[in-house]
Amino acid sequence: MIACGLLAACRAKISGLQVVYRITLMIKVSGRSEHVLKDPNEDTEWNEILRKFGILPPKEKPKDEIEEMVLRLQKEAEVKPYERMNLKELKEAEDDFDEADRKAVEMYRQQRLQEWKCLQRRQKYGELREISGQQYVKEVTNAPEDVWVIIHLYRTSIPMCLLVNEHLSQLARKFPEAKFVKAIVNSCIEDYHDTCLPTILVYKSGEIKGRFIGVAECGGIYLKLEELEWKLAEVGAIETDLEENPKKETINMMTLSKQNTSAHENTNTKSSDVLKPHIT
C-alpha cells in the first residue's frame, strides 16, 4: 500500500509538471518571453498555479506590525543580568560581561552608587538633631558640600522657638536628604538678643545661603508648617511639592481687610462731615 501511495504522488507531481510545461509553451507561443517568475510571493495567476501543484511553497504571511512591535518591546524590556546585582556583585562579575555591556554596566554601577549614597544619607538624617556650640563647625560649616544644612538657634523660654522646632521636626522627616539641626543660642553666640530669635540659618558648602532672624522674618507667631516649608524651598534647601506660597492667601486677606477698614473710615468721615454744622 505504501508503494501505491508513492506511485500516486509521483503521478500527481508529474501531472503538475506537465501542466506547468504546457502553460510555459503557451506563453512562449504567444510571444511573451519575459521572465514570468519574478517574485514567488507576488499575487499572480502564474504563482497560484505553481503553488497549486506544489512547485512553489505556500505564500508567506505578512508579519503583523503590532506583533513586531510587541516582540521589540519585549526584547527591550528584558532585564539584563547586571540589573539584578548590587555593587559588590557587579565588581565580582566585571570580567564576565562582553564589550558591548561594559559601558552599560559602568553607567548602571554609577546609578547604583548614587542610590546607595542617597540611601545612606536618608538613614543618616531624617530628624531634627540637637547640637552644641562646639559641634557647630563640624556639623554645619564642614558638612558635605552636596548637603543643605538648616540650623535653628533658639531658647526654650521663647514660645515661637518651640513652634519652629516642632515644624522643623516634621520637615526633617519629610525631607531626609537635608540636614536639620538645632542649638541653644547661648552655646553658639554670647549675649544674643531675644528679639533676634528664632534664628534660622541655611548653609550649603560652608556658606550661608539664607537667614531668617526674628519672629517676623520667620513667619510670625502663627507660623504654619507649609509656610516654613515654602521659605526653605525658596532658598533652595528643599524641593517642595507646594505649587504656590501658602502665605499668599493670608497676605491677600490682610490687604483686603486693610482696604475695607480704610473704606469704612472714609465713609465714616464723609458721614461726619455731612452731619457737622456749617459755621458761617
Side-chain angles (χ1 to χ4, degrees), residues 180-280:
F180 289 81
V181 294
K182 61 180 179 177
I184 295 178
V185 67
N186 294 343
S187 69
C188 302
I189 307 172
E190 294 183 358
D191 301 325
Y192 199 70
H193 294 289
D194 285 359
T195 54
C196 297
L197 295 176
T199 292
I200 301 174
L201 303 176
V202 182
Y203 281 79
K204 178 76 181 296
S205 302
E207 298 179 358
I208 295 179
K209 301 296 183 179
R211 67 187 76 198
F212 306 98
I213 300 174
V215 174
E217 287 191 14
C218 286
I221 59 175
Y222 300 109
L223 175 68
K224 295 181 180 179
L225 175 65
E226 294 78 12
E227 295 169 359
L228 183 54
E229 178 178 336
W230 184 267
K231 284 179 175 292
L232 297 178
E234 283 188 316
V235 177
I238 57 177
E239 294 184 5
T240 181
D241 53 1
L242 298 175
E243 295 182 357
E244 61 179 8
N245 187 356
K247 191 78 172 178
K248 182 179 179 181
E249 183 179 351
T250 305
I251 295 173
N252 291 340
M253 291 179 63
M254 290 176 62
T255 302
L256 181 62
S257 177
K258 288 180 180 180
Q259 291 175 348
N260 291 338
T261 302
S262 177
H264 184 67
E265 290 176 351
N266 291 337
T267 302
N268 289 341
T269 302
K270 290 180 180 178
S271 299
S272 300
D273 290 342
V274 171
L275 294 175
K276 284 181 181 178
H278 295 282
I279 303 172
T280 57

Side-chain angles (χ1 to χ4, degrees), residues 36-45 47-48 51 59:
V36 178
L37 187 60
K38 293 182 179 180
D39 183 0
N41 288 319
E42 190 177 359
D43 290 326
T44 63
E45 185 178 359
N47 285 352
E48 287 297 327
R51 291 191 197 99
K59 183 181 177 182

Side-chain angles (χ1 to χ4, degrees), residues 45-61:
E45 185 178 359
W46 174 249
N47 285 352
E48 287 297 327
I49 294 171
L50 296 179
R51 291 191 197 99
K52 182 178 179 181
F53 290 101
I55 296 172
L56 286 180
K59 183 181 177 182
E60 295 181 1
K61 293 182 179 180

Side-chain angles (χ1 to χ4, degrees), residues 144-159:
E145 292 186 357
D146 61 337
V147 175
W148 286 89
V149 182
I150 298 95
I151 180 168
H152 175 214
L153 302 178
Y154 73 102
R155 283 196 179 101
T156 56
S157 59
I158 298 179

Side-chain angles (χ1 to χ4, degrees), residues 25-128:
L25 289 176
M26 291 171 63
I27 292 174
K28 287 184 178 180
V29 170
S30 63
R32 295 172 60 191
S33 59
E34 70 273 10
H35 184 59
V36 178
L37 187 60
K38 293 182 179 180
D39 183 0
N41 288 319
E42 190 177 359
D43 290 326
T44 63
E45 185 178 359
W46 174 249
N47 285 352
E48 287 297 327
I49 294 171
L50 296 179
R51 291 191 197 99
K52 182 178 179 181
F53 290 101
I55 296 172
L56 286 180
K59 183 181 177 182
E60 295 181 1
K61 293 182 179 180
K63 292 183 178 180
D64 189 356
E65 293 183 2
I66 297 179
E67 182 181 354
E68 287 185 346
M69 183 177 66
V70 170
L71 292 174
R72 178 172 56 81
L73 292 175
Q74 287 177 345
K75 186 175 181 181
E76 292 177 355
E78 288 179 357
V79 179
K80 300 291 185 181
Y82 54 79
E83 293 180 355
R84 301 189 185 96
M85 298 180 178
N86 55 35
L87 292 173
K88 182 179 179 181
E89 291 170 340
L90 283 172
K91 185 66 177 177
E92 293 175 351
E94 188 174 6
D95 297 333
D96 296 336
F97 299 115
D98 55 28
E99 191 65 29
D101 283 337
R102 292 284 173 81
K103 185 178 293 186
V105 169
E106 182 58 29
M107 292 177 62
Y108 184 69
R109 180 187 284 113
Q110 293 299 325
Q111 178 184 343
R112 293 301 300 270
L113 187 61
Q114 291 300 321
E115 292 174 355
W116 178 80
K117 287 182 178 180
C118 183
L119 179 62
Q120 291 294 104
R121 189 179 301 159
R122 285 177 177 271
Q123 293 174 345
K124 187 174 182 180
Y125 306 129
E127 64 178 350
L128 178 63

